[in-house]
């Protein structure tokens, strides 16, 4: 199964900042990338059933940057796991590019996950004794990318997130912000249509968090990359087009917003050096 994309190209222009993630066909640009209907997730803990999700229904358009908020136990992490094809709903439907994920086998979900979903985590999850470029290459190694293409694509992804010249540094030779940039490059190197970020700034100071969100927002705008991120921080949710709040497994608020940070370049001047 391949989603309706006419091309999947990864390249950098001369200033090493323009990452081409994928080019949606015109007939899919205005269609929901994600369509969730009456989604339930129920876990059995002994004789007790825990309803982690209770009838969630929503669409996410291609190219949106969406923030998911809610207290611990609200269902947001379970929702993200289903979006990332890491879990299946107990009932209800989740469609990605019009394909019902609940009907896929575990192997089919893994293939889709590797090709179409990029993940960024709070703790970076880099391999300590492996260079930045080797960390970024890993998803390509485990996918079906020809060996000759893996290093050029990894280098292009690192350049696109502002890490040209640091490709051979180990994680302990990079700042926290630089490590998160490596993690973002690794998430993007497979040219996904969906980027899922779980508290991507949770381990960063406020200035570095702003720089990371500038980068995420730029990729979202320039590449029409759909981003769904979990955050507890109002300042981070302010970068989003839309904020969805979960409580007790249900969506209790779904708000469209103008990005209160505005355009980072116009309001804050030139982007700071990579963190």
């Amino acid at each position: 199964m391949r989603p309706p994309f006419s091309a999947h190209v990864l390249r950098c222009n001369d200033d090493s900042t323009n990452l081409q993630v994928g080019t949606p066909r015109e007939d899919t640009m205005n269609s929901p990338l994600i369509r969730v209907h009456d989604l339930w997730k129920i876990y059995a803990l002994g004789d007790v059933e825990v309803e982690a999700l209770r009838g969630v229904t929503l669409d996410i358009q291609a190219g949106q940057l969406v923030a998911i908020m809610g207290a611990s136990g609200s269902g947001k992490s379970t929702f993200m796991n289903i979006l990332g094809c890491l879990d299946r709903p107990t009932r209800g439907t989740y469609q990605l590019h019009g394909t019902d994920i609940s009907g896929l086998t575990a192997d089919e979900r893994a293939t889709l996950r590797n090709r179409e979903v990029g993940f960024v985590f709070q703790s970076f999850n880099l391999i300590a004794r492996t260079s930045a470029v080797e960390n970024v290459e890993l998803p390509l190694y485990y996918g079906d990318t020809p060996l000759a293409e893996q290093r050029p694509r990894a280098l292009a992804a690192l350049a696109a997130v502002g890490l040209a010249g640091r490709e051979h540094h180990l994680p302990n030779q990079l700042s926290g912000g630089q490590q998160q940039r490596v993690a973002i490059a690794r998430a993007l190197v497979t040219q996904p249509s969906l980027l899922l970020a779980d508290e991507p700034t949770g381990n960063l100071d406020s200035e570095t968090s702003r720089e990371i969100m500038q980068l995420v927002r730029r990729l979202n705008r320039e590449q029409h990359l759909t981003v769904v991120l979990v955050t507890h921080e109002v300042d981070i949710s302010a970068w989003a087009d839309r904020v969805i709040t979960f409580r007790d497994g249900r969506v209790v608020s779904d708000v469209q917003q103008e990005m209160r940070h505005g355009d980072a370049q116009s309001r804050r001047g030139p982007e700071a050096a990579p963190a």
Side-chain angles (χ1 to χ4, degrees):
M1 179 191 65
R2 189 64 175 165
F5 273 63
S6 59
H8 282 259
V9 181
L10 181 69
R11 70 176 184 266
C12 290
N13 62 14
D14 291 340
D15 64 7
S16 297
T17 60
N18 192 11
L19 177 67
Q20 298 297 322
V21 177
T23 305
R25 288 201 321 240
E26 289 185 6
D27 61 352
T28 64
M29 290 283 284
N30 296 319
S31 301
L33 176 72
I34 291 168
R35 174 159 284 171
V36 170
H37 179 72
D38 195 27
L39 202 68
W40 289 74
K41 184 63 182 181
I42 302 172
Y43 296 101
L45 298 178
D47 296 331
V48 178
E49 287 191 343
V50 177
E51 296 177 340
L53 293 177
R54 304 178 181 183
V56 174
T57 296
L58 58 84
D59 292 346
I60 295 176
Q61 299 292 326
Q64 279 194 316
L65 197 167
V66 179
I68 305 291
M69 302 190 74
S72 296
S74 63
K76 61 186 186 300
S77 295
T78 300
F79 182 68
M80 290 285 278
N81 285 341
I82 292 175
L83 293 189
C85 303
L86 296 170
D87 201 356
R88 289 194 296 181
T90 304
R91 62 178 183 267
T93 59
Y94 162 39
Q95 295 182 357
L96 180 63
H97 288 302
T99 299
D100 187 355
I101 304 305
S102 62
L104 301 181
T105 67
D107 287 345
E108 288 171 337
R109 291 200 315 274
T111 298
L112 179 68
R113 185 167 60 244
N114 182 264
R115 295 174 67 181
E116 293 303 331
V117 184
F119 295 89
V120 177
F121 303 97
Q122 177 178 343
S123 56
F124 316 143
N125 289 349
L126 302 179
I127 299 176
R129 296 185 180 182
T130 301
S131 69
V133 68
E134 290 168 332
N135 268 283
V136 174
E137 283 178 325
L138 278 175
L140 303 176
Y141 177 80
Y142 288 109
D144 57 2
T145 304
L147 183 61
E149 295 180 17
Q150 293 178 17
R151 182 57 55 96
R153 283 174 58 172
L155 292 172
L158 284 168
V161 299
L163 288 180
R166 295 179 174 85
E167 300 93 339
H168 301 290
H169 286 56
L170 298 175
N172 64 7
Q173 297 172 316
L174 300 170
S175 69
Q178 289 169 341
Q179 290 184 58
Q180 191 61 295
R181 286 172 182 261
V182 173
I184 293 171
R186 181 183 58 194
L188 296 180
V189 75
T190 57
Q191 305 152 19
S193 54
L194 173 63
L195 179 67
L196 299 179
D198 188 2
E199 298 283 359
T201 61
N203 285 344
L204 304 175
D205 61 49
S206 58
E207 178 61 21
T208 306
S209 296
R210 181 181 67 82
E211 293 166 3
I212 291 298
M213 289 308 301
Q214 282 181 329
L215 171 63
V216 169
R217 186 62 178 179
R218 175 169 61 80
L219 293 169
N220 160 255
R221 283 181 165 179
E222 293 179 358
Q223 310 307 331
H224 201 69
L225 175 66
T226 307
V227 181
V228 180
L229 65 89
V230 166
T231 183
H232 287 94
E233 302 176 63
V234 174
D235 286 350
I236 298 303
S237 71
W239 291 87
D241 303 311
R242 177 181 176 191
V243 178
I244 300 172
T245 303
F246 278 72
R247 182 183 302 146
D248 298 328
R250 296 185 174 93
V251 172
V252 296
S253 176
D254 188 345
V255 178
Q256 301 282 344
Q257 63 179 14
E258 295 183 3
M259 191 176 69
R260 281 171 279 167
H261 285 277
D263 181 82
Q265 295 294 330
S266 64
R267 292 199 179 191
R268 298 182 181 272
E271 186 172 352

